[in-house]
Amino acid sequence: MRVLKFGGTSLANPERFLQAARLIEKAHLEEQAAGVLSAPAKITNHLVALSEKASLNQPTDCHFDEAVNIFYTIIKGLHAENNNFDLAGTQALIDREFAQIAELLEQIRAAGKVEDAVKATIDCRGEKLSIAMMKAWFEANGYAVTVIDPVEKLLAHGTYLESSVDIAESAKRVDVASIPKRNLVLMAGFTAGNEKGELVLLGRNGSDYSAACLAACLKASACEIWTDVDGVFTCDPRLVPDARLLPHLSYREAMELSYFGAKVIHPRTIGPLVQTNIPCLIKNTGNPDAPGSVIDSDENAAEGLQVKGITNLDNVAMFNVSGPGMQGMVGMAARVFSTMSKAGISVILITQSSSEYSISFCVPAKLADHALSVLNTEFARELQSGALDPVDIIKDLSIVSVVGDGMRTAKGIAARFFSSLAQANISIVAIAQGSSERSISAVVPMNKAIEAVKATHQGLFSNKKSIDVFLVGVGGVGGALIEQIKQQKAFLAKKDIEIRVCALANVNKMLLNENGLDLDDWKNDLQNAIQPSDFDVLLSFIKLHHVVNPVFVDCTSAQSVSNLYVRALREGFHVVTPNKKANTSSYAYYQELREAARQGSHKFLYETNVGAGLPVIENLQNLLAAGDEVEKFEGILSGSLSFIFGKLEEGLTLSQATLLAKEKGFTEPDPRDDLSGADVARKLLILARETGLPLEFEDIEVEGVLPRGFSDGMSRDEFLAVLPDLDAEFDQRVQAAKKEGKVLRYVGSINGSKCRVAIEAVDENHPLYKVKDGENALAFLTRYYSPIPLLLRGYGAGTDVTAAGVFADILRTLHGGI
Ligand code: ADP
Ligand code: ASP
Ligand code: MG
């Protein structure tokens, strides 16, 4: 005999129901078959809602009608397939069941509450009707059917809603010999009977367990769980698309995986099969030829995988019992856990602590209040005397577990598990290792559980690191960045780095895709996008899609976008930007940003704010971190002014040099934006703040290249027309400097706490003497770099170098770098 169990999705509509029937029939023709059926998909949820809502006197009609409709659709489909199918008889049966349910609902409504015994009889009607429909189907096809009544045959102990089957006693009741060999056997899942013969349930998702119990009672050759996936995967394939199918698992592994949340089989399924050594197969109803997964007693199958899977068990609460008197109290742990067990509360996980000062453990969240009250009663005396502190509960947690037989011998898995969580910035509330060493669990906030599973899967099953870029601003630098990302994708893939651009946004529109956008024709795609730019949508996108390593990249120069960084960091993004606005607005915002980054362990990177691609900020931060101190700074921080002053030295007039710089595209469209010195002042402010000076923009003394008020009110062209008026004066200054062997440079300097941006004459010994032609140079005179300053020098402008600097920052968000 073979037992085949079909889950809800395998019975959801006539087509699937027929497919399940065909599979039972095929098995029956090979070897006698017993079909265990669940309720068609959604039915149990509707039934659960019916009694709950009735007890609250809420409307129930929609659940009622939808449930009836699902059954009607199935029987109509079965009748259409074979006219012998007893449509009228099964419809009458469905109507009768639902009439009974309606009656019970009226009673519940009147009482204002629902007893568990009554709830149990309602919740399992779906299974009962599945069997009635399947029986009618096989009879219509000429098969003799034996229906096993689980209430009568499966003896279970526990509560009305969650009981466990007594296999030995049930096996005696299921008299295999009395079942004719040619009969096809059917039994409703999810249901059993208690000592009094009352109907009880085996817990949600319990039909798998029913099948295993029946298989054990019948001493079946196999227990096949037919579902909607190809077998057991390394983690839920719906969460992680590159989850791997496991051809084989040991009983222990399957137990541990399901215990810790792998929904593909009910946690108690394996128990009855171990005792009788019956193999369990997980198969896909929609893809019956796929080999599926085999679960049996072989713990050494040559699979090569030390870790078999990663699971998440949600809706967990963690208790912490502690207090100054704990150390001396004998038998504390025993008292805590026997209190739980007496109250019928299963403790999912206990975290070990080598000190005896506290005990932490997890229970299902729905039992947390009950658990607290029994603990408070048990320890009333100790709590009152202060020997115990008030019991601490943390709610909304999940347990993420890594499971595998091979972990007993493998080293370093725990380290990889925890570093994967760290990389995804997930804080770990507690850690536990199963005593069998087959599992390691981390308790994490529930809203991070899916990220945790994804990140751990990536960390353990592939060396791949991923970055998800959310790019705002696709002009010069942003556009160049996209091209660089496209170009480097293959190179980075070789280093196991996957870089996806999940969002592109300009002022008007945005494109979003959690799996990464196709960048081949991004300009057109963005132009034709229909979604308007909406930062609320963009910033909340990562929570919705559980993105593991999102980076918000701002390539605009907008103040409004820079104002979003604190929020982005709090939402879980790293922030990377060449935009100087955030770092140069108020010092309060500057600090708030850093605090937000620190709190969430996210990175805020802005290397390109000063000197474009030159590694200024990182070097400076490294020096300061190593204990160095900046005594004096001098730098040429503007590419356009570096060019213009170089040309003055070569003999061009100020107006000629400016025009040339403009023609070459070195200046802003209006060269006054460069000549005003404001941009250099911003960069200087960023450097000054980096060295620890709490300055505001107004604290920077700025001497523009142009005399104050020189072209006020003029258009750009008018300004360019009058610029030659300054040529003579500048020429004089250049000549005067030259006489002293000096050249003019536009220099930003920090001296103590004094920051100044001005034209300075420097001699040939000065580090900035030779810096021209658009180059930037930064001279840091520090405690370590003295008397010769540390000099950083190179092109400090241009879209490509800036984009490359932004790209490097994006890669720096990866834990451990590249
Ligand atoms: P059924 O209705 O057939 O009982 P379930 O929905 O209870 O089906 O269980 C199957 C589902 O279990 C799959 O669709 C999948 O999303 C989920 N699942 C969770 N973890 C795993 C895993 N490790 N391997 C396979 N499926 C898993
Ligand atoms: N139908 C029940 C449920 O949805 C039992 C099962 O599907 O296994 O929980
Ligand atoms: Mg199931």
Side-chain angles (χ1 to χ4, degrees):
M1 181 100 76
R2 252 157 77 192
V3 172
L4 293 86
K5 177 261 167 176
F6 290 87
T9 43
S10 304
L11 304 166
N13 53 40
E15 295 72 36
R16 302 222 186 127
F17 201 93
L18 282 167
Q19 168 72 346
R22 275 192 289 274
L23 291 164
I24 297 176
E25 185 177 12
K26 183 167 176 279
H28 188 61
L29 296 174
E30 291 164 7
E31 183 183 355
Q32 191 175 19
V36 172
L37 303 186
S38 175
K42 298 194 187 145
I43 290 291
T44 314
N45 286 348
H46 283 308
L47 296 172
V48 168
L50 280 177
S51 57
E52 275 174 13
K53 290 200 170 164
S55 72
L56 300 168
N57 204 18
Q58 288 172 356
T60 46
D61 285 356
C62 68
H63 294 291
F64 199 91
D65 296 345
E66 276 183 42
V68 172
N69 209 12
I70 291 172
F71 287 114
Y72 278 6
T73 310
I74 296 174
I75 55 171
K76 277 187 207 144
L78 298 181
H79 184 255
E81 186 71 15
N82 182 346
N83 285 339
N84 290 335
F85 180 81
D86 182 5
L87 183 62
T90 41
Q91 183 166 339
L93 208 73
I94 294 166
D95 291 346
R96 204 164 58 229
E97 291 294 332
F98 276 92
Q100 277 180 17
I101 294 174
E103 223 170 89
L104 292 169
L105 292 180
E106 280 317 307
Q107 291 167 14
I108 294 169
R109 227 174 255 285
K113 62 174 184 179
V114 53
E115 302 294 340
D116 283 352
V118 176
K119 185 172 159 39
T121 68
I122 294 177
D123 290 357
C124 68
R125 302 268 167 153
E127 277 64 17
K128 196 172 169 190
L129 286 173
S130 286
I131 293 299
M133 295 188 296
M134 194 59 91
K135 177 172 182 275
W137 170 258
F138 277 116
E139 286 174 349
N141 285 282
Y143 285 92
V145 178
T146 297
V147 173
I148 293 181
D149 178 1
V151 182
E152 208 180 285
K153 303 291 184 191
L154 296 186
L155 172 67
H157 307 292
T159 63
Y160 286 108
L161 301 181
E162 185 108 29
S163 277
S164 297
V165 175
D166 177 338
I167 299 291
E169 180 53 33
S170 304
K172 284 188 214 150
R173 294 182 180 188
V174 179
D175 179 10
V176 192
S178 71
I179 305 171
K181 273 275 165 268
R182 59 182 195 89
N183 278 25
L184 202 146
V185 180
L186 293 175
M187 186 186 86
F190 192 32
T191 328
N194 63 14
E195 303 85 343
K196 295 189 213 152
E198 294 168 309
L199 183 149
V200 297
L201 300 183
L202 302 177
R204 289 303 306 265
N205 213 8
S207 299
D208 304 326
Y209 177 42
S210 303
C213 295
L214 185 63
C217 293
L218 294 172
K219 306 202 173 38
S221 60
C223 175
E224 303 176 7
I225 307 288
W226 289 81
T227 181
D228 59 354
V229 281
D230 274 349
V232 183
F233 284 79
T234 45
C235 61
D236 190 341
R238 273 176 231 289
L239 295 185
V240 178
D242 50 353
R244 297 191 207 167
L245 180 68
L246 298 165
H248 176 265
L249 293 93
S250 72
Y251 285 135
R252 302 255 213 163
E253 287 171 329
M255 269 187 193
E256 212 108 350
L257 280 175
S258 56
Y259 177 81
F260 283 120
K263 190 191 162 207
V264 63
I265 47 170
H266 183 275
R268 271 175 291 155
T269 310
I270 300 299
L273 303 176
V274 177
Q275 292 168 21
T276 39
N277 204 13
I278 297 170
C280 182
L281 268 75
I282 311 295
K283 300 272 292 179
N284 189 348
T285 314
N287 184 17
D289 295 332
S293 301
V294 180
I295 303 168
D296 61 21
S297 56
D298 186 355
E299 293 191 358
N300 300 308
E303 181 101 343
L305 284 183
Q306 290 161 331
V307 172
K308 286 293 173 62
I310 298 138
T311 57
N312 58 306
L313 187 65
D314 295 338
N315 291 310
V316 163
M318 193 168 101
F319 281 73
N320 186 35
V321 180
S322 65
M326 280 275 285
Q327 206 178 16
M329 287 185 215
V330 178
M332 263 306 285
R335 264 177 81 194
V336 168
F337 296 119
S338 76
T339 306
M340 290 295 111
S341 123
K342 267 189 247 151
I345 298 167
S346 58
V347 173
I348 312 171
L349 174 149
I350 302 168
T351 70
Q352 297 157 334
S353 126
S354 50
S355 77
E356 288 177 35
Y357 293 112
S358 72
I359 299 172
S360 300
F361 59 93
C362 293
V363 304
K366 61 179 184 210
L367 301 177
D369 291 341
H370 185 38
L372 180 64
S373 90
V374 293
L375 280 174
N376 282 341
T377 310
E378 170 70 25
F379 293 103
R381 212 160 29 91
E382 289 83 351
L383 287 164
Q384 209 177 14
S385 73
L388 282 188
D389 293 334
V391 176
D392 182 34
I393 317 181
I394 312 176
K395 290 190 175 166
D396 297 323
L397 298 174
S398 291
I399 300 174
V400 174
S401 309
V402 174
V403 173
D405 282 339
M407 283 166 50
R408 277 170 298 166
T409 46
K411 288 198 174 63
I413 289 174
R416 277 165 76 190
F417 177 25
F418 299 130
S419 77
S420 304
L421 296 180
Q423 183 187 343
N425 285 312
I426 294 165
S427 52
I428 299 173
V429 181
I431 291 169
Q433 173 154 30
S435 53
S436 63
E437 290 188 49
R438 277 185 182 82
S439 67
I440 306 171
S441 302
V443 183
V444 303
M446 190 157 87
N447 62 4
K448 286 285 184 181
I450 297 177
E451 277 103 313
V453 170
K454 285 182 169 181
T456 308
H457 193 270
Q458 204 167 77
L460 292 176
F461 287 102
S462 71
N463 292 322
K464 227 196 292 170
K465 301 177 190 175
S466 60
I467 305 178
D468 301 300
V469 173
F470 289 66
L471 174 62
V472 181
V474 292
V477 174
L481 176 66
I482 297 172
E483 295 308 322
Q484 290 180 7
I485 290 175
K486 274 163 70 175
Q487 212 169 26
Q488 284 305 96
K489 240 181 154 68
F491 173 81
L492 291 172
K494 279 194 210 132
K495 292 177 172 271
D496 280 325
I497 295 171
E498 184 183 17
I499 181 156
R500 286 183 293 242
V501 177
C502 295
L504 285 182
N506 60 23
V507 200
N508 303 313
K509 292 176 176 181
M510 64 181 185
L511 290 168
L512 284 171
N513 186 334
E514 71 273 22
N515 298 319
L517 294 162
D518 181 351
L519 297 176
D520 280 353
D521 202 11
W522 66 270
K523 272 192 190 145
N524 260 328
D525 293 346
L526 187 58
Q527 208 165 23
N528 299 329
I530 37 172
Q531 195 164 8
S533 260
D534 181 335
F535 290 117
D536 283 328
V537 174
L538 194 143
L539 293 177
S540 48
F541 191 77
I542 56 165
K543 278 219 180 95
L544 210 63
H545 295 282
H546 305 287
V547 179
V548 173
N549 193 29
V551 188
F552 182 83
V553 183
D554 170 19
C555 286
T556 72
S557 54
Q559 180 75 46
S560 58
V561 181
S562 72
N563 289 345
L564 294 170
Y565 299 169
V566 166
R567 205 178 129 199
L569 288 163
R570 297 217 166 107
E571 294 280 349
F573 285 92
H574 300 290
V575 174
V576 167
T577 186
N579 181 351
K580 291 185 274 290
K581 296 281 164 34
N583 278 334
T584 54
S585 57
S586 74
Y587 189 64
Y589 186 64
Y590 180 89
Q591 281 178 307
E592 196 186 344
L593 253 176
R594 278 148 184 83
E595 183 55 24
R598 201 187 53 76
Q599 271 178 4
S601 306
H602 292 106
K603 290 185 177 141
F604 169 48
L605 300 172
Y606 45 88
E607 182 57 85
T608 47
N609 272 192
V610 181
L614 295 179
V616 177
I617 304 287
E618 193 183 4
N619 271 312
L620 182 54
Q621 285 173 344
N622 287 345
L623 275 184
L624 297 173
D628 203 356
E629 273 167 38
V630 175
E631 285 164 357
K632 188 176 169 199
F633 166 80
E634 282 177 307
I636 292 180
L637 301 170
S638 153
S640 52
L641 295 177
S642 155
F643 180 83
I644 290 170
F645 280 83
K647 290 298 161 200
L648 293 181
E649 177 191 335
E650 287 170 21
L652 265 61
T653 63
L654 178 67
S655 60
Q656 285 168 335
T658 306
L659 222 55
L660 188 62
K662 183 172 178 302
E663 275 163 20
K664 286 187 174 283
F666 291 164
T667 65
E668 295 296 317
D670 187 337
R672 280 176 293 185
D673 291 340
D674 301 281
L675 298 171
S676 73
D679 187 53
V680 174
R682 270 192 214 102
K683 291 174 185 165
L684 193 68
L685 176 64
I686 294 170
L687 288 176
R689 284 178 168 178
E690 207 65 58
T691 64
L693 295 172
L695 301 179
E696 299 290 350
F697 186 71
E698 299 71 44
D699 297 325
I700 313 283
E701 191 187 316
V702 185
E703 182 202 321
V705 177
L706 308 171
R708 212 173 284 272
F710 174 69
S711 61
D712 283 0
M714 288 185 201
S715 71
R716 183 182 65 183
D717 290 339
E718 286 165 348
F719 154 70
L720 287 172
V722 298
L723 185 58
D725 293 355
L726 297 176
D727 285 351
E729 183 200 326
F730 261 84
D731 189 44
Q732 270 176 18
R733 286 176 79 171
V734 171
Q735 294 311 326
K738 202 170 177 181
K739 265 192 203 135
E740 294 175 23
K742 294 180 175 174
V743 293
L744 298 187
R745 294 288 179 256
Y746 196 67
V747 179
S749 59
I750 305 174
N751 247 321
S753 62
K754 194 167 138 51
C755 296
R756 197 175 120 87
V757 175
I759 300 170
E760 290 192 13
V762 298
D763 66 25
E764 62 178 338
N765 297 321
H766 194 278
L768 303 181
Y769 181 82
K770 290 204 174 107
V771 180
K772 52 185 189 174
D773 294 334
E775 261 192 303
N776 279 15
L778 300 95
F780 294 93
L781 194 73
T782 72
R783 245 179 353 120
Y784 299 162
Y785 288 93
S786 182
I788 299 176
L790 169 72
L791 187 66
L792 292 167
R793 183 174 160 182
Y795 284 113
T799 47
D800 282 336
V801 281
T802 308
V806 173
F807 199 174
D809 271 354
I810 292 174
L811 294 173
R812 281 173 61 207
T813 62
L814 282 176
H815 193 69
I818 59 170

